[in-house]
Amino acid sequence: QITFKPNTSVTLNSSTFIGTDKPDSARLMRFFHNFYGIFQISEKIGVTVGFDCGTEEKTVEGGGRNTWYTPVVMIRAAVTEKVAISARGEYYSDEHGVIIATGTPSGFQTGGISLNLDYQVAPAALWRIEARNLMSKDDIFTREDKPVNDNIFVSTSLAISF
């Protein structure tokens, strides 16, 4: 991992994994790269732009590679010292199910948008509520026990750092 901060408003990060996450008997070599930039546009507005890309051998003997990727853009605005709102747009393409297996013809090819509200409960505690909509090429989600190609949900979390 390499992180570069040319100034107080810009952070660039590049992380790479080369290896396998499988037992030796099923060793499939993988290359994965994550790159993102955080740009503090003003005191209250920040933008994050990222791109992940991975490739893995199809079989132990070689014979080609499966590739997946995901671009993401996030914008965050501080409303007050303790409250912030964010929006995120993302797309995930894993046609061959290397990371997310669906068993469908197009694999996991899904875009999403989300909005969230963050509240700084304490210096080391952040509460978030998020509304998210995922839209897929295939019917990989379920609604009322029927396959559908989209999923809308609201979630909440409490993150504590120490």
Side-chain angles (χ1 to χ4, degrees), residues 95 101-109 136 138-140:
E95 187 176 347
T102 64
T104 61
S106 300
F108 193 81
Q109 295 189 60
S136 183
D138 292 335
D139 292 344
I140 61 170

Side-chain angles (χ1 to χ4, degrees), residues 56 66-68 93-104 106-108:
E56 182 176 272
N66 291 318
T67 301
W68 66 96
S93 178
D94 184 6
E95 187 176 347
H96 302 287
V98 177
I99 304 299
I100 302 173
T102 64
T104 61
S106 300
F108 193 81

Side-chain angles (χ1 to χ4, degrees), residues 15-94:
S15 303
T16 301
F17 170 83
I18 300 172
T20 184
D21 66 344
K22 301 190 176 34
D24 287 345
S25 61
R27 181 178 298 231
L28 299 174
M29 289 305 294
R30 175 181 292 179
F31 172 82
F32 176 78
H33 188 78
N34 163 256
F35 177 80
Y36 65 86
I38 302 171
F39 307 93
Q40 198 62 41
I41 306 300
S42 70
E43 187 178 306
K44 294 188 176 203
I45 298 175
V47 175
T48 301
V49 179
F51 187 78
D52 294 349
C53 185
T55 183
E56 182 176 272
E57 292 176 311
K58 288 184 178 184
T59 66
V60 176
E61 296 80 27
R65 305 186 73 76
N66 291 318
T67 301
W68 66 96
Y69 64 89
T70 183
V72 62
V73 176
M74 296 176 272
I75 186 164
R76 181 179 191 273
V79 178
T80 69
E81 191 174 302
K82 291 189 172 203
V83 177
I85 56 173
S86 299
R88 180 177 66 236
E90 59 194 322
Y91 180 76
Y92 198 95
S93 178
D94 184 6

